[in-house]
Amino acid sequence: PIQIEDDRTGMSVDTLKRAFADNLFYLQGKYESFATPDDFYMALAYTLRDRLLNRWLKTFKTYVENNVKVVYYLSAEFLMGRHLGNSLINLHVYEKIRQAVEESGLNLDELLEREPDPGLGNGGLGRLAACFLDSLATLEIPAVGCGLRYEFGIFHQMIQDGWQAEIPDKWLRFGNPWEIARPDQAVEVKFGGHTEMYHDDKGQYRVRWIPSTTAIGIPYDTPVPGYDTNTVNPLRLWRAEASDDFNFDAFNAGNYDGAVAEKMRSETISKVLYPNDNTPQGKQLRLEQQFFFVSCTLQDIIRIHLMRHKSLHNLYETTAIQLNDTHPAVAIAEMMRLLLDEHGFDWDDAWRVTQTTFAYTNHTLMPEALEKWSVTLFGYLLPRHLEIIYEINRRFLEDVKLWYPDDQGMLARLSLIQEGPEQYVRMANLACVGSHAINGVAALHTELLKQDTLRDFYKIWPEKFFNKTNGVTPRRWVLLSNPKLSELYTSKIGKGWLKDLDQLRKIEAYIEDAGFREQWHQIKLENKQKLADYIWKHNGIAVDPNSMFDVQVKRIHEYKRQHLCVLHIITLYNRIKQNPNIEVTPRTFIFGGKAAPGYFMAKLMIKLINAVAEVVNNDPDVRGRLKVVFLANFNASLGQKIYPAADLSEQISTAGKEASGTGNMKFAMNGAMTIGTLDGANIEIREEAGEENFFLFGLTADEVYKVKAAGYNPSEYYSKNAELKAVMDRLTSGFFSHGDKELFKPMTDSFMHHDPYMLFADYQSYIDCQERVSKVFQDRDAWTRMAILNAVRMGKFSSDRTIKEYCEQIWNVKPVPIQLEE
Ligand code: 26Q
């Protein structure tokens, strides 16, 4: 008999072709001859989603039936990147789909480019959450990503006259084929109002929260497939809707527009992602967003637990909740409220359940970046939660007084409330007291947390502190983005490296093989040629693929010091102007990154890069040896094109400021060398690669601290360093701004008078180090050897390693393999 494959699950090329055509007709409602590339993309996306559903439903069923412990990863951001390519990889159907699409007369690469990049995050923190979901599914860990379904993600960046312009990100315009709405699991979230005391039926005092408004949360689930497993975990994002019954009275009383205004207000909650990165903004709507998704998630968690258990006392046995920074930290208070007010717990039991369930990851050291909310705003929006926070604080400080009777400073620093003319709730302190584990995201970061930012908490609870050095998924960041390099690896050592990145070290055996090194070099060159084509298409700048691709892509921030790189460019430019025949190693400087729309200095930095580019790229004396390119709208998809093409990765933050960095890992895995400070994960990257394979410069975190304490005076560096002086003079002269001496003055003034990020202190060391970089690059083979060793020693930075550590040391969860056949 002929075996007939099901159209929605079959994996043969013929079935895939038929399913693709079917979905075009029945889901997009188009004949092939009228279909647009977007229609074809959608039809293909549905073809893949169909093939994930079987595994997805089976995964959920297995979790429920076996009553397994589940990790809930709470994050205000998930920067997932495109789904289609990733699901082709994780389902092992890339080649078959390519064939099916080609036999249908289409080009797969073009269809992949049609997918809008889901940008529900700002940068490192959001992308880390996405890498973690990939690793959790790959390691077969029961896990749910929980967050907000923003209608508008991170803005689309355009460059106009050298300045950043922001365009709304309408990522849902054509519909989202990857999500399934679950309106049957909607929940209600309360806001505002006041609280009341009453006696319960046992005569106990209880508190009732009478809210002034409510909103409805609708969950939308997106499948997250593991690589080479049957596990498909959900990413559950909540959308806010108005609850219609609430304004029924106003509606009936004829106050139609009043009722509609109220409805709009509720639906605003999940409208847009706040575009700030590492600089919190104390806006009411942001707090509403945080509480909204937290309350939806906790109600959901409790509902699921109570499906299999009589009470919530053993919640920690079924549930681990990870707080991705303090953005979801109000969950500590909401969990207490649910247990106390809605499930009749007494305080001590509720507190035990809360503390054993929650864990907190810190992503920042800069005190000004720690989240705090004015007590007035907090109490207005969440009156019951403010009461609970005060009670947590009262009990906590009682304990502290017992432990440190004479230390008022300690009490003031540990308090959940910052005192002063205006009181604030300190979210990091709330997260620390409510969690059983607190972790930093790189070894140095964790050490600095213990010694500095959270030192008092470390003093009282040293056993709560862990380091979990970040990682990235090698599936998206090597296999998907760098297929040629992946093929080369696999041809030598098999496919094992994709689930155990340490195996890449086996490649070291080929380091003396000149043919291997040549193949490696050719792959890098091809990747650079592709990026050069992209640059030509988008910026109209011709760049030489044989020049060094010197790349800095990341959010624009003063502490990340994109402007230090600009000082280097101007230094080289000045040398050329002084002697046009001087020998220079040809370089293409590539920048990319978004500035928070309200961050003036960051926007000025983008203008500066483009202004310098205009001069350098067009000066005949330069003879094309230096090129400067700013690529607009850096996001996950653009990252996938850039990392594989980079020769040099710029990781030049002021030591002690970058908690970890994760772009640094993506570059290194794709065979770029790093120039960097001893900051964040750079330190561990250098340790793994070997110090001879890392271009190190600059002050250490310790030295930064000491130089500042001794009274740092940047103008001294200016007067004593002739080359730095020439660079600054060129900048202030109006040379890069058509004679306008005012344009860059806010930045140059900051350098000369404060220089909080110590560019001048690190300038000479950076320039000297870049000299060494240029020298080595001229010896092509020496460079290739270093790049190979560097790349294949990055096993530690697979997010699989990071997630295994969280599972064993923080969450206490184990893999649950999914069987497809009964
Ligand atoms: C908070 C309140 C109100 C509005 C915005 C915010 C907000 C949003 C995003 C605060 C911070 C962020 C993002 C922080 C972030 O991305 N941190 C980075 O996290 C990475 C993953 O751990 C690290 O590698 C980076 O070093 C760190 O900067």
Side-chain angles (χ1 to χ4, degrees), residues 289-334:
Q289 291 184 334
Q290 297 183 352
F291 178 69
F292 171 76
F293 93 84
V294 157
S295 180
C296 291
T297 299
L298 294 193
Q299 293 183 60
D300 208 32
I301 287 172
I302 287 175
R303 177 182 61 81
I304 291 168
H305 178 89
L306 291 178
M307 279 163 53
R308 314 277 311 177
H309 298 264
K310 288 195 299 289
S311 100
L312 291 164
H313 285 87
N314 61 341
L315 187 67
Y316 79 96
E317 288 175 8
T318 64
T319 305
I321 304 178
Q322 190 67 31
L323 303 175
N324 196 23
D325 214 296
T326 53
H327 315 154
V330 67
I332 306 278
E334 173 70 347

Side-chain angles (χ1 to χ4, degrees), residues 77 122-125 128 274 276-281 286 290 327 363 371 441 470 559-560 658-662:
E77 309 190 2
N122 275 286
L125 167 145
L128 184 74
Y274 275 85
N276 309 71
D277 171 279
N278 277 306
T279 28
Q281 263 193 322
R286 168 75 185 191
Q290 297 183 352
H327 315 154
H363 296 264
E371 227 185 330
V441 290
N470 284 164
Y559 84 80
K560 296 178 188 281
E658 188 71 273
S660 161
T662 42

Side-chain angles (χ1 to χ4, degrees), residues 771-782:
E771 206 95 335
R772 299 203 303 276
V773 171
S774 287
K775 280 250 158 56
V776 180
F777 192 75
Q778 282 174 3
D779 183 346
R780 197 181 101 173
D781 200 44

